[in-house]
Amino acid sequence: MSGKTHSVAVLGGGAWGTALACAARRAGSDVRLWARNPDVAAGISGGSNPTRLPGVTLSSGIDASTELDAVLPGADCVLLAVPAQAVRGIMENAAPLLSDGVAVAICAKGVERGTLKLMTDVVAETAPAARIGVLSGPTFAGEVARGLPTAVVIAAPDEEAAKTIQSAVGSGSFRAYLSDDTVGAEVGGAVKNVVALAAGIATGRGLGENARAALVSRGLAEMIRLAVTLGGRAETVMGLAGAGDLILTAMSETSRNTSFGMALGSGRSARETLAARKAVTEGYWSAQAVAALAERHGVDMPIAQAVNAILSEKLDIDSAIGALLDRPVSAEFRM
């Protein structure tokens, strides 16, 4: 990493934004964080975020505020860690405060509902002067905040922007690998949440570990098909930003997306489950957009389509599972 001290602005006071602020502090960066809630901002400045990261002592020196103009001016690296569906609104307000050429790392994972655009496209539209990258990989926020070993990918077409983000957050315990494939990194991050919902549904329904492993494997194939169709690379999806993230999310019952699916599989409704949660379950909000994006581009994604049908109440769980099992069995990989 470079010896330069970076000025990092983190947008988002949830678990992920708070964890990234801790990672940036460990990398030696000056860190300011924007949170919507005044109590959350005060807590982070005081060294804790008990609502989102209970029991975790945060890195010292994180200065949090509810005002964007107290966080963004002068930053050479911005970590965008708000929920995917909030990215456009936040960036519209943030754009006038950004320095020209600032490196913006998109840390949200999802597809914008309505427009079906990836987050890189949303940020490019709202902040055209920014140099955009994607930070993605297998990351549980609590472990990152505690400084446990973690590896991520930073994907950006501008190598200098990628290196800026890398040196702003990277350390011995937070290893940041570089890539130029933003599409592969984004599709991996967005679709893995939907596949994790499917894996959770199967677990909650008592279908067994074989079924979960099959869903994860076939879901990875769907991720690759969509990424390649949109211009990404299969090897990116097979790496940290795709397979790595999917393994972590879909195989852990502590994952928000997997646990949400388990609740559905055990008979709870989506509305009931959402109402009981404080944190955002990205897979719920991305499923419709991922399914629609696949349909728009003619990409076969039966697992994503099944999850969307369940969430939209077009099919009950048993009917959706039956439809998947009734599909004809073909070659595992299309030649």
Side-chain angles (χ1 to χ4, degrees):
M1 309 305 167
S2 73
K4 177 182 177 181
T5 298
H6 292 278
S7 177
V8 174
V10 180
L11 301 184
W16 188 214
T18 306
L20 286 169
C22 291
R25 283 297 294 148
R26 291 193 188 97
S29 297
D30 294 328
V31 179
R32 290 167 289 175
L33 180 146
W34 172 85
R36 190 183 302 276
N37 186 297
D39 292 334
V40 170
I44 292 171
S45 293
S48 68
N49 189 342
T51 302
R52 298 301 174 83
L53 290 173
V56 177
T57 300
L58 308 181
S59 300
S60 61
I62 301 171
D63 185 13
S65 172
T66 58
E67 302 296 331
L68 288 172
D69 58 7
V71 171
L72 288 169
D76 65 346
C77 177
V78 176
L79 306 178
L80 183 56
V82 298
Q85 306 309 320
V87 163
R88 184 179 294 277
I90 293 297
M91 288 306 298
E92 286 174 346
N93 292 325
L97 301 170
L98 298 177
S99 303
D100 287 342
V102 65
V104 175
I106 299 167
C107 309
K109 298 173 181 177
V111 176
E112 188 176 50
R113 291 160 67 100
T115 68
L116 306 186
K117 291 182 177 179
L118 300 179
M119 295 296 103
T120 46
D121 297 319
V122 174
V123 174
E125 289 177 2
T126 53
R131 296 182 299 161
I132 302 170
V134 175
L135 188 157
S136 191
T139 50
F140 281 161
E143 295 186 11
V144 173
R146 290 183 175 92
L148 297 179
T150 300
V152 299
V153 169
I154 296 169
D158 184 320
E159 185 179 4
E160 288 307 309
K163 288 181 176 179
T164 294
I165 300 164
Q166 181 189 48
S167 61
V169 300
S171 65
S173 64
F174 195 75
R175 297 178 59 82
Y177 293 85
L178 300 184
S179 170
D180 61 358
D181 183 10
T182 58
V183 172
E186 279 209 83
V187 170
V191 180
K192 65 91 184 180
N193 286 329
V194 181
V195 177
L197 274 175
I201 290 169
T203 301
R205 215 61 166 180
L207 299 184
E209 295 300 320
N210 292 349
R212 178 159 68 169
L215 280 167
V216 169
S217 300
R218 297 312 301 156
L220 180 60
E222 294 188 15
M223 291 163 60
I224 292 172
R225 288 199 291 270
L226 183 60
V228 170
T229 298
L230 296 180
R233 298 194 296 270
E235 59 263 32
T236 303
V237 182
M238 289 300 297
L240 289 166
D245 205 359
L246 177 61
I247 291 167
L248 176 70
T249 305
M251 303 306 286
S252 173
E253 295 181 7
T254 62
S255 157
R256 281 178 284 181
N257 292 285
T258 298
S259 61
F260 186 92
M262 289 173 64
L264 297 182
S266 65
R268 295 182 65 185
S269 71
R271 293 172 190 167
E272 177 188 3
T273 306
L274 282 175
R277 294 187 164 211
K278 295 179 181 178
V280 174
T281 302
E282 289 283 23
Y284 173 84
W285 298 105
S286 292
Q288 180 187 34
V290 166
L293 188 62
E295 185 174 357
R296 173 183 288 180
H297 291 277
V299 179
D300 187 30
M301 297 184 68
I303 294 172
Q305 297 287 359
V307 171
N308 180 50
I310 291 168
L311 294 178
S312 62
E313 299 181 348
K314 293 179 180 177
L315 284 178
D316 61 61
I317 290 175
D318 291 332
S319 296
I321 292 171
L324 286 173
L325 294 176
D326 285 342
R327 285 173 55 86
V329 180
S330 58
E332 181 178 17
F333 296 106
R334 296 182 183 128
M335 307 301 289

